[in-house]
Amino acid sequence: MRPSPAAPRRFLAATTAALVVLLTACGGDGDADEAGAEEDPPVAAAETDPADEEMDDEEAAGQQQTDEAAAGEAAGSDEASRVCDALTAVDPDTAFADLTFGPPEPGDGVTSCRMSLTNAEGEGLAAALDQNDLFSVYQEQYAEDEDLYRELDGLGEEAFIINDSQLHVRQGQERWMVSLQAIVLGDDPAVPEADATEAGLTEIARSLLGQ
């Protein structure tokens, strides 16, 4: 059986103590001083390296930034899911004539959601939080064009639709854009009439505003 590592140390300590006593008895104070001088010097306390402390602070700060970024991504994901819920609240496959759509696709890093078309070309059905004030940009650009621009009553504080397919709405500082873009060659599938598209987009906007 392997001997305990502590046993030799205890034996060495006892032997050294006996030797010191023997030299003191035989040689007097000078021999005792010499024997004492042969003992191991005391071990100095370990000093903390400032570089190590700085590295620990940097690691802690880096971890905090990582945690904050993860929390931000989680919050963004929740908002994108809310937008997707608004898109599906109107049942797009029945609200927009014969157009059919794929599953909702939440935006990556932005508050948005999109449903791709499965039987036509184009961007499909989409909604996004307007973070660049496109509301003001498009309003200024198209307000004088009566063929493309129409103001909508009873939706948010202010709303308008462009080309019967792109709806912009503002409620306080919150602005949203909801749109349907479909490109169909021929008569199949049937595309929704302008009033049906407006009704569907308006319903999505009301859901986003909590109306």
Side-chain angles (χ1 to χ4, degrees):
M1 180 175 65
R2 184 177 180 179
S4 170
R9 289 198 295 270
R10 288 199 300 269
F11 178 79
L12 178 61
T15 303
T16 303
L19 179 60
V20 172
V21 172
L22 180 60
L23 290 175
T24 302
C26 297
D29 293 340
D31 293 339
D33 293 340
E34 183 179 350
E38 294 177 357
E39 294 181 2
D40 294 334
V43 179
E47 296 182 359
T48 302
D49 190 343
D52 292 339
E53 292 183 352
E54 183 177 352
M55 184 177 297
D56 291 341
D57 292 341
E58 291 177 354
E59 291 178 353
Q63 183 61 47
Q64 181 178 358
Q65 291 177 354
T66 300
D67 293 342
E68 290 175 353
E73 290 177 0
S77 177
D78 290 342
E79 282 296 299
S81 297
R82 183 171 76 88
V83 180
C84 291
D85 290 342
L87 288 185
T88 56
V90 299
D91 190 7
D93 287 343
T94 58
F96 301 107
D98 292 342
L99 296 177
T100 55
F101 301 84
E105 305 168 13
D108 184 13
V110 293
T111 305
S112 66
C113 187
R114 175 174 173 262
M115 297 179 69
S116 301
L117 289 160
T118 59
N119 61 348
E121 300 296 325
E123 289 296 317
L125 182 63
L129 182 65
D130 179 5
Q131 297 176 314
N132 299 313
D133 197 16
L134 294 177
F135 184 98
S136 299
V137 173
Y138 286 134
Q139 188 176 51
E140 181 178 351
Q141 183 174 355
Y142 292 102
E144 301 300 324
D145 192 335
E146 297 180 357
D147 294 331
L148 295 178
Y149 177 95
R150 282 190 299 108
E151 293 185 352
L152 303 177
D153 297 327
L155 179 62
E157 293 181 4
E158 193 175 8
F160 60 87
I161 191 168
I162 299 174
N163 200 27
D164 296 322
S165 60
Q166 187 181 92
L167 187 152
H168 294 261
V169 61
R170 180 182 67 80
Q171 180 73 41
Q173 297 299 316
E174 186 177 7
R175 297 176 296 271
W176 292 92
M177 181 174 71
V178 187
S179 64
L180 173 66
Q181 184 191 76
I183 301 173
V184 176
L185 301 178
D187 297 329
D188 188 32
V191 296
E193 297 292 335
D195 57 349
T197 300
E198 179 184 325
L201 298 181
T202 299
E203 194 63 29
I204 293 171
R206 290 190 188 281
S207 180
L208 291 170
L209 295 175
Q211 296 182 342

